[in-house]
Amino acid sequence: MPLGPLKPSPLVEQAAEHLRERIAAGDWPVGSRLPAETALAASLGVGRSTVREALRSLAGAGLVQARQGAGVFVIAIEPSEDWAAALRRAAVTDVYEVRMVVEVEAARMAAHRRTDEDVTAISEALAGRRGAADAGDAAFVDADIALHAAVVAAAHNPVLTALFTEFVPALRQGLIDMLELLDLRSADPNHGDEGHALLVEAVARGDADTAGRILREELEQTLARLTSMK
């Protein structure tokens, strides 16, 4: 099956897609070496630089691997699942366990590293959570997540911040379902306010041990509730 020339559009994406299709079709089985860049470039009607970028894209997807001095080899016929997709498939309790590990340490770091601006942002987020007490469960969960995000941001570690951001879509609906199913806000619309206020105070005064302990206790309680719903 000839590859055929490509149209001048996003050439790298087109080249990567054509090569991906050939791999999926079994034309290059797992373990086989791909043709040289010059041969692929000629077949696709593009430059070697375009082929090189397309191969990098396939390598990033876990389909091929470059071996120095030997060439590029097929190592899988389907792309590896990315982190976001894995989180979407995971059980909310599994995601929450990892969240606990990450966020408790982030709270401790935030207590050491927070700036005046961070304290202001965290206090405003607490006020926003309190203001959402009269709103529906979805808005309340969003305000709760915003407060936790502000604490994580105060740790001033971009990897922690990015990791927490990845957790949010997987956690949000599970937390909304928990509030609705267990009817946690009927008697207390601002459910968990005391613990969150103590967390904010601990971070603001630089008390890492207390901040970590308070957050761990809160997250453990929520995890227990999520587990009870399974």
Side-chain angles (χ1 to χ4, degrees), residues 59-215:
L63 294 173
V64 302
Q65 181 183 67
R67 299 174 186 169
Q68 189 171 7
V72 178
F73 291 79
V74 177
I75 60 174
I77 60 173
E78 294 183 355
S80 56
E81 187 176 47
D82 63 26
W83 174 241
L87 283 176
R88 286 194 297 271
R89 283 197 314 103
V92 66
T93 49
D94 292 337
V95 177
Y96 216 88
E97 287 179 347
V98 179
R99 176 194 177 182
M100 285 175 55
V101 174
V102 170
E103 198 176 340
V104 168
E105 187 58 32
R108 292 177 55 83
M109 293 169 62
H112 287 304
R113 301 177 178 179
R114 81 281 182 269
T115 64
D116 291 343
E117 290 76 13
D118 292 326
V119 173
T120 298
I122 294 170
S123 299
E124 290 177 349
L126 177 62
R129 188 182 189 278
R130 287 171 169 168
D134 294 330
D137 288 339
F140 184 75
V141 166
D142 288 340
D144 178 79
I145 289 173
L147 172 56
H148 286 267
V151 172
V152 172
H156 293 279
N157 183 311
V159 177
L160 279 175
T161 300
L163 195 54
F164 180 81
T165 301
E166 290 281 3
F167 288 153
V168 169
L171 291 170
R172 181 178 182 272
Q173 190 57 53
L175 294 174
I176 293 171
D177 292 344
M178 179 191 73
L179 290 177
E180 293 178 348
L181 183 63
L182 302 181
D183 198 22
L184 293 177
R185 299 179 62 222
S186 60
D188 181 12
N190 197 7
H191 174 75
D193 179 66
E194 181 180 358
H196 285 81
L198 291 174
L199 171 63
V200 170
E201 291 173 5
V203 171
R205 68 172 180 267
D207 188 343
D209 290 340
T210 300
R213 176 180 56 77
I214 290 171
L215 185 54

Side-chain angles (χ1 to χ4, degrees), residues 31-38 40 48 51-52 55-56 59 63-75:
S32 65
R33 184 176 64 183
L34 294 183
E37 286 182 3
T38 51
L40 291 174
R48 288 182 62 185
V51 171
R52 195 171 299 119
L55 291 175
R56 285 177 183 161
L63 294 173
V64 302
Q65 181 183 67
R67 299 174 186 169
Q68 189 171 7
V72 178
F73 291 79
V74 177
I75 60 174

